[in-house]
Amino acid sequence: MPVPAEYERASAQFYDYLVDARDTAGLWSTHVAYTMTQGVFQVFRRRLATEDAIAFANVLPIGLRALFVTEWDVHEERKPFEDRDAMTREVQSLRPNHNFSPDTAIRDVAQALRRHVDEAALDACLAKLPAGAAEFWTP
């Protein structure tokens, strides 16, 4: 069997996402978009049971899936979904001296992410997750 296209093009697809996230958020660098996305993913992940987080990760393209699980402490205490402002401050707390995520970070990542996933699969997954999950990914 040949290597699936999603693996063969993983780097290019990941970079395409980073450029999209950078432009959506009005940022100047894909490095900044990377940190913003990682922060958003970590904030979301902290609010899910492991099996729910894996279900979510499985709808992401390979590169974003890898970023979603990077540095995951599966023993970290789960947090409740809060208002977007509070969760945005949490996004901005990742590497605070090098994090330039705007106050619109969650919305910006949600918009960019939706352009790089199967939206129907994403929405079907989110519908099965705890209350607050679907709202988190609403642009």
Side-chain angles (χ1 to χ4, degrees):
M1 175 173 182
V3 174
E6 101 175 293
Y7 286 90
E8 202 167 57
R9 295 203 63 249
S11 293
Q13 289 172 338
F14 184 62
Y15 191 73
D16 289 347
Y17 163 81
L18 290 175
V19 168
D20 191 356
R22 176 198 68 198
D23 294 349
T24 299
L27 300 172
W28 58 92
S29 163
T30 54
H31 298 277
V32 177
Y34 174 92
T35 295
M36 175 180 68
T37 301
Q38 186 178 27
V40 170
F41 279 174
Q42 287 181 4
V43 167
F44 184 65
R45 191 178 68 200
R46 286 184 189 118
R47 286 152 176 83
L48 300 178
T50 304
E51 59 271 14
D52 290 337
I54 291 170
F56 175 79
N58 281 332
V59 301
L60 300 176
I62 297 299
L64 290 171
R65 189 179 310 160
L67 182 57
F68 185 77
V69 301
T70 296
E71 299 176 10
W72 188 356
D73 177 0
V74 296
H75 302 292
E76 185 175 29
E77 185 176 331
R78 278 186 37 204
K79 292 184 166 193
F81 283 97
E82 303 168 85
D83 66 75
R84 191 165 274 194
D85 287 340
M87 291 187 292
T88 298
R89 298 296 160 263
E90 190 178 335
V91 168
Q92 294 167 332
S93 72
L94 173 67
R95 294 188 294 278
N97 294 331
H98 304 280
N99 188 332
F100 302 97
S101 297
D103 291 341
T104 55
I106 295 172
R107 184 203 69 199
D108 297 339
V109 170
Q111 287 177 348
L113 181 77
R114 286 182 169 279
R115 290 190 287 268
H116 295 268
V117 300
D118 176 337
E119 275 198 273
L122 175 64
D123 289 334
C125 174
L126 292 172
K128 297 175 186 173
L129 298 182
E135 184 179 342
F136 186 93
W137 292 106
T138 301

